[in-house]
Amino acid sequence: MITVVINGKEVQTEETNTILQVARDNGVDIPTLCYLKDCGNFGKCGVCVVDADGKYLLACITKVKEGMVVQTNTETVNERIKKRVSMLLDKHEFKCGPCVRRQDCEFLKLVIKTKARATTPFLPQDKSEYVDARSSAIVLDRSKCVLCGRCVAACKEFTATNSIQFIKKDGKRAVGTIDDKCFDDSTCLLCGQCVIACPVAALKEQPHIDKVAAALADPKKHVIVAMAPSIRTAMGELFNMGFGKDVTGKLYTSLRLLGFDKIFDINFGADMTIMEEATELLGRIKNNGPFPMFTSCCASWVRQAQIYFPELLENLSTAKSPQQIYGTATKTYYPKLEGLDPKDVYTVTIMPCNDKKYEADLPGNEVNGLRQIDAVLTTRELAKMIKDAKIKFADLEDSIADPAMGEYSGAGAIFGATGGVMEASLRSAKDFAEHAELDNIEYTEVRGLKGIKEATVEIAGNKYNVAVINGAANVFEFMKSRIKEKQYHFIEVMACPGGCVNGGGQPHITALNRETINYKTLRASVLYNQDKHLQRRKSHKNTAIIKMYDSYFGKPGEGLAHELLHIKYTK
């Protein structure tokens, strides 16, 4: 431990700490923009200037020394920070009114705090040379980019694909993919970790709000909507309700106020996926493989397998993802149930993921010539629709989903957290295999935020090795070493650290909150609390699911169910 003086106060700290860390540990605010501790990004924006022993240094990269005297708020320090912010403003389109990040832009807060102004305002009349909207999932707007490097660092740390990098474009330094390819045509997983790392509006989802609004305004369209498990875990954050707040009932009410004809739930689709996936796992056990069977509900993991591990595509579960399996049911089972023409049904999903937009648009995701999913909104987009409609979300009364495809089990609820798909599958697989109503259904060993989790489970008297991987970077580590260590039978993969609760379509979180709040655990707790208190905690006990299979699809994994609810993946 050493002694440092910061703003006149003596403090004790470890000599390995930076000035920024010491300041934060002692409640001293130093402005930052590029700094993201969880993905090791620092030293690029030049905003965190301090006076250290009479020298003007960057706090995020300067280690403290014994007796160092640091001042963070002198007139000269503040002037240097203001000048640096002004330089960044000269390269940033400072039009906040129409910007999607105006309420949570970290750069805007810095501009307001420093009272900085652009010396030569950057206001391009034609933005076509700056905006890359070729991807079906992610839009890059270089007129907003401040070259902070947070997206590059997030991609490197969390996916290990290095798909987004600093490149040369028209002779200038810019952010983009190698050879400036469309994100969809690059090695990018479209997970959106770069999007939620971005402090401005340089990266955002491909918007679907206008498509949804047009459908809602069309009297011929029967517009139905369903939200993924993770939406209810995070939406409250966008309405100042705090972290870990369950807003399921308010979401159902707000969707009705927006004019949707039926309010369903992707948790129902998750229960459908388990019916097919658990049956498939038992089939592989009976036929001795191919092992391991990988989950396929995460579209970014499927892309990772297609691009980097095509030799494993036969090992992926053929059960469609909850979004697509639900979408299939909305264009087949649901119209028959309600006496509707399938062509009139317009299916909208609310997802925590940018990649679900890409997945919905894939050529193979059609049934009888109709798109399984017509539009996908992120958590952020739905919040915008609610705000634009002037709905006072926090004051809404709770309501419930419509019954036909809105009922769900606890197993369906926990899909949004890493380990949830594994746990849900095992609950049904064990019951199916052992022809029993098993009471011990909590597999706590596959819960939590550890990047790679392993367990051995017993099904019908035999032991099987399972693994749960969250974070695409951990997939590369697992494939490089652990998969050779033993025979695995079932592996769950989610590309985003923490699973869908931390998806790229979820609310933006400031760099400081990412560092100090355990938001992934708080969001996941909403799902585990629902599971704990729901009457039915196994997918195959969902009465709406039972009715659907009995009246339409038949037995899971067979006949019509296998024909409509499964898909094969190709390189």
Side-chain angles (χ1 to χ4, degrees):
M1 300 293 286
I2 60 172
T3 301
V4 176
V5 179
I6 185 162
N7 291 347
K9 179 185 175 184
E10 272 194 10
V11 299
Q12 298 292 308
T13 186
E14 294 179 17
E15 61 182 353
T16 53
N17 281 337
T18 62
I19 294 173
L20 180 62
Q21 190 60 56
V22 175
R24 288 189 169 173
D25 288 346
N26 290 277
V28 176
D29 178 45
I30 295 176
T32 64
L33 185 62
C34 72
Y35 183 75
L36 266 191
K37 186 176 182 179
D38 60 355
C39 53
N41 192 60
F42 43 79
K44 295 182 177 66
C45 68
V47 167
C48 62
V49 178
V50 295
D51 179 336
D53 291 337
K55 297 177 182 177
Y56 295 101
L57 305 172
L58 296 182
C60 70
I61 57 173
T62 305
K63 296 279 180 70
V64 290
K65 296 177 182 176
E66 174 65 48
M68 180 181 273
V69 177
V70 178
Q71 297 183 81
T72 70
N73 56 5
T74 67
E75 187 176 334
T76 305
V77 165
N78 291 335
E79 195 55 41
R80 282 176 175 255
I81 294 171
K82 182 177 180 179
K83 185 176 180 181
R84 181 58 188 156
V85 174
S86 293
M87 291 173 65
L88 294 172
L89 271 173
D90 286 343
K91 300 174 182 178
H92 174 80
E93 184 197 40
F94 196 55
K95 280 173 71 174
C96 299
C99 182
V100 296
R101 294 294 304 275
R102 66 182 180 273
Q103 292 180 325
D104 59 14
C105 175
E106 294 179 60
F107 187 45
L108 175 59
K109 290 175 183 175
L110 193 55
V111 171
I112 293 169
K113 180 177 180 177
T114 60
K115 297 185 173 70
R117 291 188 178 184
T119 52
T120 52
F122 175 57
L123 296 168
Q125 297 299 308
D126 179 12
K127 288 185 59 169
S128 57
E129 67 175 291
Y130 299 102
V131 178
D132 183 352
R134 293 174 292 172
S135 168
S136 57
I138 297 172
V139 175
L140 171 60
D141 183 351
R142 294 188 177 97
S143 74
K144 298 287 187 184
C145 182
V146 290
L147 297 175
C148 67
R150 279 165 54 158
C151 59
V152 176
C155 185
K156 180 181 180 181
E157 177 69 20
F158 301 134
T159 78
T161 66
N162 296 293
S163 298
I164 191 166
Q165 300 183 1
F166 285 114
I167 62 170
K168 283 286 184 181
K169 184 169 174 64
D170 302 326
K172 296 179 181 177
R173 193 165 182 254
V175 160
T177 61
I178 298 171
D179 299 327
D180 199 27
K181 289 182 178 179
C182 167
F183 285 107
D184 299 3
D185 299 327
S186 73
T187 57
C188 173
L189 306 183
L190 306 177
C191 65
Q193 287 301 308
C194 58
V195 177
I196 54 173
C198 181
V200 291
L203 286 159
K204 53 195 173 187
E205 63 271 80
Q206 183 66 259
H208 282 190
I209 290 177
D210 288 348
K211 288 167 63 173
V212 174
L216 289 170
D218 187 345
K220 295 179 182 177
K221 294 293 183 187
H222 181 82
V223 188
I224 63 176
V225 66
M227 63 172 165
S230 300
I231 308 306
R232 72 209 76 209
T233 74
M235 184 61 80
E237 297 164 25
L238 293 169
F239 293 91
N240 301 315
M241 298 171 70
F243 291 90
K245 181 77 172 175
D246 188 342
V247 292
T248 306
K250 294 183 191 301
L251 277 162
Y252 293 149
T253 304
S254 65
L255 291 167
R256 285 195 175 88
L257 292 173
L258 288 172
F260 289 95
D261 293 300
K262 289 284 184 180
I263 317 299
F264 295 136
D265 206 302
I266 291 295
N267 290 6
F268 177 90
D271 281 336
M272 287 182 70
T273 296
I274 290 303
M275 294 292 283
E276 298 301 316
E277 191 171 75
T279 301
E280 182 181 6
L281 176 62
L282 293 179
R284 294 198 188 202
I285 288 174
K286 182 180 178 181
N287 298 315
N288 198 30
F291 291 126
M293 186 174 97
F294 288 91
T295 60
S296 57
C297 51
C298 173
S300 294
W301 150 240
V302 171
R303 257 184 79 87
Q304 188 176 13
Q306 290 174 312
I307 295 168
Y308 295 97
F309 306 106
E311 70 278 8
L312 294 177
L313 292 177
E314 285 296 316
N315 294 72
L316 263 65
S317 167
T318 60
K320 289 179 179 176
S321 72
Q323 171 175 272
Q324 298 307 135
I325 210 166
Y326 161 82
T328 301
T330 67
K331 300 300 173 75
T332 55
Y333 165 69
Y334 176 67
K336 184 177 180 183
L337 186 70
E338 295 290 321
L340 297 167
D341 186 336
K343 295 186 180 69
D344 295 333
V345 176
Y346 192 90
T347 304
V348 180
T349 58
I350 320 294
M351 304 301 290
C353 178
N354 304 271
D355 205 5
K356 288 297 175 181
K357 294 173 183 272
Y358 170 81
E359 181 186 59
D361 282 350
L362 286 171
N365 284 333
E366 295 182 347
V367 57
N368 300 327
L370 300 172
R371 302 306 303 172
Q372 294 160 8
I373 303 295
D374 297 292
V376 179
L377 300 172
T378 62
T379 313
R380 298 186 295 264
E381 286 180 287
L382 177 58
K384 185 178 188 307
M385 289 185 71
I386 293 170
K387 290 174 182 178
D388 287 350
K390 293 183 168 47
I391 295 170
K392 294 182 179 179
F393 184 81
D395 297 333
L396 292 177
E397 294 289 329
D398 288 351
S399 64
I400 61 174
D402 291 308
M405 296 176 66
E407 180 185 338
Y408 60 88
S409 73
I414 60 177
F415 252 64
T418 171
V421 182
M422 172 67 67
E423 187 167 351
S425 297
L426 292 176
R427 289 179 186 182
S428 288
K430 275 182 70 70
D431 272 20
F432 290 165
E434 298 176 18
H435 306 289
E437 291 279 339
L438 299 170
D439 294 326
N440 187 13
I441 62 169
E442 293 191 352
Y443 295 85
T444 54
E445 60 268 46
V446 300
R447 297 183 182 182
L449 297 177
K450 190 177 176 184
I452 301 172
K453 295 162 283 189
E454 298 185 58
T456 300
V457 298
E458 189 177 295
I459 300 176
N462 296 311
K463 291 186 176 181
Y464 300 94
N465 297 321
V466 302
V468 173
I469 309 169
N470 72 103
N474 291 316
V475 176
F476 289 112
E477 181 191 328
F478 186 87
M479 297 302 181
K480 195 163 48 181
S481 57
R482 298 206 197 185
I483 201 165
K484 300 168 187 173
E485 293 174 1
K486 60 186 174 186
Q487 172 69 74
Y488 291 91
H489 299 93
F490 191 25
I491 300 176
E492 176 202 306
V493 183
M494 289 188 180
C496 293
C500 303
V501 292
N502 186 39
Q506 292 281 65
H508 289 281
I509 298 176
T510 66
L512 185 58
N513 282 347
R514 285 171 72 115
E515 189 177 332
T516 57
I517 297 173
N518 196 353
Y519 63 95
K520 293 189 281 287
T521 297
L522 288 170
R523 289 174 178 175
S525 70
V526 172
L527 305 180
Y528 288 116
N529 284 336
Q530 282 202 358
D531 170 43
K532 192 174 180 180
H533 293 102
L534 281 165
Q535 181 184 355
R536 298 177 181 88
R537 301 183 65 191
K538 300 172 183 177
S539 296
H540 60 280
K541 295 300 178 182
N542 180 334
T543 57
I545 290 282
I546 294 169
K547 179 181 177 182
M548 181 183 65
Y549 274 93
D550 285 349
S551 65
Y552 191 80
F553 285 113
K555 288 185 177 181
E558 300 179 16
L560 190 62
H562 190 270
E563 178 188 340
L564 294 180
L565 307 181
H566 290 254
I567 189 170
K568 280 274 191 177
Y569 299 101
T570 57
K571 183 175 178 179

